[in-house]
Amino acid sequence: MNGIKAFSIVALVLASMATPLSARAAGDRVVVFAAASLKNAMDDVAAAYERVHDADLRVSYAGSSTLARQIEQGAPAAVYVSANEAWMDRLENKGRIAAASRIDLLRNELVLVAPASSDVRATLDASADLRSLLGAGGYLAMANTDAVPAGIYGRQALQHLGLWDGLQGRIAQAEDVRAALALVARGETPLGIVYSSDAVAQADVRVVDTFASDSHDAIVYPAAVTADADTPAARDFLAFLQGEQARTLFRKWGFGVADGE
């Protein structure tokens, strides 16, 4: 895709170790660590950026928690886009981002999805019987509910509705939200909790219902330049993420922009 390279975190770390610091500082390579839920949108945004900039843009996707921990350990990210504020707060408190560069970039919604072929119906309120809808031996797919933002928001929403305790033992926890989405898309689980943007990106699922925004913390995607790679090229890409061309692409993939426009 227009020269964009998607790398695993391990490959990026090894590449940084093999490249002299002076060479990395002199070049225009920008390594972006982005939450897994951003993949389709960020791929489009990165391609648009590279069409008009002479830059070597490399994007790595994973759960926000995984990415934040890798940045703490020295992974060569220049820009970090998280799916929640807590992991960005953690990096800021540890001096791992350039605090003045931090912005709120995007918003999202949380939805219950089913395979596209499913005829299941549910209204997400306190009377919902999700356990019954899972059927005999069925599981609810969610991102890790202790560390991954989508899983944390999902747990909050279920607790708010009084449904969490009744689902214990029937939740399939995945490493990130896209892995949870894949379980539903493949029909391995009858229901899952993902972001609205994930449902837009996957034709093999359909939205059953949307969780009320007051049932969980606001879903905000902050972005920032990292402290170890605060370069003009990194700042330029962060500015591009806030421009109208990028916003149009983010909206296409089901995201809202943070300022509501």
Side-chain angles (χ1 to χ4, degrees):
M1 178 185 293
N2 199 37
I4 298 170
K5 306 167 186 70
F7 284 79
S8 71
I9 294 171
V10 171
L12 287 168
V13 172
L14 291 175
S16 72
M17 293 172 63
T19 306
L21 288 174
S22 58
R24 295 206 305 273
D28 286 330
R29 175 176 296 177
V30 178
V31 176
V32 180
F33 276 17
S37 55
L38 285 162
K39 185 175 190 323
N40 300 76
M42 190 65 78
D43 279 353
D44 277 2
V45 170
Y49 181 80
E50 282 204 328
R51 279 195 291 270
V52 294
H53 293 79
D54 183 17
D56 180 12
L57 197 62
R58 305 189 178 206
V59 186
S60 183
Y61 301 98
S64 297
S65 55
T66 298
L67 297 174
R69 291 187 181 109
Q70 290 293 329
I71 291 171
E72 287 177 346
Q73 295 165 13
V79 176
Y80 172 54
V81 188
S82 173
N84 80 345
E85 297 175 288
W87 286 105
M88 188 67 81
D89 290 344
R90 172 167 162 160
L91 292 183
E92 183 172 349
N93 292 336
K94 293 188 175 186
R96 302 299 296 177
I97 64 167
S101 73
R102 179 175 175 172
I103 58 161
D104 288 341
L105 183 64
L106 301 169
R107 297 190 183 277
N108 216 331
E109 293 183 305
L110 200 67
V111 297
L112 181 71
V113 294
S117 59
S118 169
D119 60 0
V120 68
R121 296 286 184 272
T123 299
L124 290 170
D125 57 26
S127 67
D129 186 2
L130 297 186
R131 191 179 183 97
S132 177
L133 293 176
L134 294 174
Y139 287 81
L140 174 68
M142 298 178 67
N144 184 294
T145 60
D146 292 321
V148 177
I152 294 170
Y153 296 132
R155 184 187 67 210
Q156 290 174 347
L158 293 173
Q159 289 173 331
H160 178 84
L161 295 174
L163 306 177
W164 175 253
D165 290 343
L167 288 167
Q168 296 312 293
R170 302 294 293 277
I171 296 174
Q173 297 198 40
E175 63 181 354
D176 58 46
V177 69
R178 284 302 175 91
L181 178 70
L183 290 174
V184 182
R186 294 194 299 261
E188 296 179 24
T189 62
L191 293 170
I193 297 176
V194 299
Y195 295 124
S196 175
S197 59
D198 296 312
V200 171
Q202 176 53 263
D204 292 331
V205 306
R206 65 174 182 83
V207 174
V208 177
D209 200 9
T210 301
F211 287 92
S213 60
D214 64 358
S215 69
H216 53 78
D217 290 344
I219 302 174
V220 177
Y221 287 64
V225 172
T226 65
D228 291 342
D230 188 358
T231 65
R235 293 267 181 170
D236 188 66
F237 181 67
L238 184 63
F240 184 82
L241 292 178
Q242 301 169 71
E244 192 53 40
Q245 185 176 9
R247 288 179 173 210
T248 297
L249 293 170
F250 283 128
R251 292 188 188 103
K252 166 190 168 184
W253 288 106
F255 292 90
V257 296
D259 60 15
E261 295 180 0

